[in-house]
Amino acid sequence: MLFVKKLTGIIMSTIAYNRNLFEENDFCARSFEGITVKIVEGQSSPGAIALAKWLSGAFHAFDQKYLESITLEIKDGMEQIIESYTLGYSYLNNEVQCHLAGAVDAGGILEDNNLNESIRNVIRNVLTLTQTNAPLPEDASTTVKISYRQDTPVDYEPPGFQPYTIRSPVEGNRVYKFNCGAVTTHFHRLDLKGKFYERPEEIISCLCGKDDHNATLLKCKLCGSLQHSACLKIFLIKKDMSQSYHTCLKCSRSGVTPEYSPEECLFRRAIVLCAISKSLSVSILKKKLMLDENTAFFNMRRLMREGALWKGTQPLTLENLDFPYNVHKMKVMNKLKQDYFDN
């Protein structure tokens, strides 16, 4: 039983390490059956500490022979499963069989002198699988779920766990399954398979009518569509916040008032562009906001009337599209931000 628990911890730690779920200092090097592996210690980040506690709680159920399966889920910020790994357990005459959900019998019993090679093959396949898969989003999180055998006491919950309701998977998401090999001894069997969920394409559906990525984007936590933050009267200038979540006007069932018209949305985007630029021209507005000449010219003139731009020595005409005008930062960050975003 100790061997199965150690191997379970190694598999979970290998997945966590190679999917970059935690910091480097959350892992330590250990030797297992002559193989150097990375093990989660849970000394630094909250996620690593939680995973170590979850595994400890799962092993408590394992010792009581209540444990039926352990599932490691990796989710995005929308709480949609990206990847999952499930280890299943069965108990026969004080012996334990461990297998991955959906795995099939892949052969007979291995001799003990082939055990190390079998473990190496599994770990090597896990490394290949997890390193070649697409990088996880920055807001990825982990969850460990366990299920019990039917003879488990109704009120039993191991340390660190609480009851949960099983959710149905999101319809339409394609699932890819990968076989990573098997480890078999005279007492245990472990088949490892990975399961990855196809990530839906992110769609920009914004009030301004533009689908460009040249601005900070917010994702609706209900429908998953992306909108420019400025169009929603949210003043954000850091692109590393592009995966922040909110509820769009459609999902919140809020009426679209004149301040959310395409014209006003584009002007707010022009204000944000001023906040991150030293100078601005009609051609820059055209490129950054995907505008035609007349719309870019209109917004440029409006910015000048609001005092966001310093008047140049040349008249602003369509013939001087590339003539830059200096941005009045204090006017933008104080007056325009207050007038068009904070009210």
Side-chain angles (χ1 to χ4, degrees):
M1 294 180 71
L2 180 60
F3 176 86
V4 174
K5 289 196 288 186
K6 285 184 176 180
L7 195 52
T8 299
I10 288 171
I11 290 174
M12 295 297 185
S13 295
T14 301
I15 294 168
Y17 183 78
N18 288 284
R19 297 307 284 139
N20 296 314
L21 296 180
F22 314 125
E23 300 296 331
E24 179 72 27
N25 57 6
D26 287 317
F27 299 87
C28 65
R30 291 286 186 268
S31 178
F32 178 74
E33 300 294 329
I35 305 170
T36 301
V37 293
K38 292 284 189 176
I39 302 296
V40 174
E41 277 197 327
Q43 299 294 326
S44 180
S45 67
I49 295 173
L51 180 59
K53 290 183 177 179
W54 288 333
L55 288 177
S56 177
F59 292 153
H60 182 277
F62 179 82
D63 291 335
Q64 303 297 320
K65 297 185 180 180
Y66 295 154
L67 184 65
E68 185 174 71
S69 68
I70 304 175
T71 298
L72 172 65
E73 293 181 346
I74 304 176
K75 301 179 180 180
D76 62 15
M78 298 284 290
E79 291 296 307
Q80 299 299 325
I81 300 175
I82 303 173
E83 303 172 9
S84 68
Y85 308 84
T86 301
L87 284 163
Y89 302 83
S90 58
Y91 308 82
L92 300 172
N93 298 323
N94 294 323
E95 296 178 0
V96 184
Q97 292 183 343
C98 177
H99 57 88
L100 257 286
V104 296
D105 194 345
I109 296 175
L110 296 176
E111 297 295 333
D112 288 341
N113 58 4
N114 290 331
L115 182 59
N116 284 358
E117 183 61 28
S118 181
I119 295 173
R120 289 191 185 94
N121 287 336
V122 170
I123 294 178
R124 182 166 54 246
N125 289 337
V126 171
L127 289 172
T128 301
L129 177 62
T130 54
Q131 290 177 347
T132 56
N133 196 28
L136 295 173
E138 294 183 1
D139 56 5
S141 61
T142 57
T143 301
V144 170
K145 296 178 179 178
I146 61 177
S147 62
Y148 308 123
R149 302 175 66 201
Q150 291 185 352
D151 57 352
T152 302
V154 177
D155 59 350
Y156 174 77
E157 291 293 346
F161 288 88
Q162 61 183 9
Y164 74 95
T165 301
I166 299 177
R167 297 180 180 179
S168 301
V170 177
E171 295 183 2
N173 285 2
R174 184 177 299 177
V175 180
Y176 300 91
K177 300 179 181 180
F178 300 88
N179 188 359
C180 295
V183 175
T184 306
T185 71
H186 291 286
F187 305 100
H188 324 104
R189 177 176 177 82
L190 183 149
D191 294 293
L192 178 60
K193 288 188 176 182
K195 185 183 293 185
F196 302 100
Y197 296 77
E198 185 177 51
R199 304 178 198 176
E201 181 181 358
E202 293 184 328
I203 299 175
I204 297 179
S205 178
C206 193
L207 298 166
C208 68
K210 306 296 181 181
D211 60 358
D212 63 286
H213 288 76
N214 297 323
T216 303
L217 296 169
L218 299 176
K219 179 184 288 186
C220 177
K221 62 184 179 182
L222 297 180
C223 68
S225 62
L226 298 174
Q227 294 92 33
H228 303 110
S229 61
C231 297
L232 299 167
K233 298 186 66 176
I234 300 174
F235 192 88
L236 296 176
I237 59 177
K238 294 183 179 180
K239 282 199 171 184
D240 60 358
M241 298 185 67
S242 61
Q243 290 300 313
S244 299
Y245 296 93
H246 75 114
T247 302
C248 70
L249 295 180
K250 181 179 179 180
C251 292
S252 64
R253 298 183 179 180
S254 300
V256 179
T257 58
E259 61 186 344
Y260 293 108
S261 66
E263 179 180 299
E264 292 301 310
C265 289
L266 288 172
F267 185 63
R268 283 195 294 272
R269 291 190 60 189
I271 293 174
V272 173
L273 188 58
C274 286
I276 61 175
S277 306
K278 293 183 178 180
S279 61
L280 207 62
S281 67
V282 173
S283 60
I284 292 176
L285 280 177
K286 286 177 56 181
K287 180 179 179 180
K288 295 294 186 180
L289 303 186
M290 299 177 62
L291 304 178
D292 58 57
E293 287 187 357
N294 290 332
T295 305
F297 185 78
F298 172 82
N299 280 278
M300 193 77 173
R301 292 291 297 269
R302 188 174 175 182
L303 288 170
M304 292 184 65
R305 289 196 302 269
E306 292 283 357
L309 301 176
W310 294 99
K311 291 184 178 180
T313 58
Q314 300 183 37
L316 181 63
T317 64
L318 288 176
E319 287 73 25
N320 294 319
L321 297 180
D322 292 322
F323 184 77
Y325 287 75
N326 295 325
V327 175
H328 195 312
K329 291 288 186 180
M330 291 186 62
K331 183 76 71 172
V332 171
M333 299 304 294
N334 295 329
K335 185 178 186 304
L336 270 70
K337 180 176 179 294
Q338 180 179 358
D339 291 347
Y340 289 93
F341 290 87
D342 298 338
N343 291 335

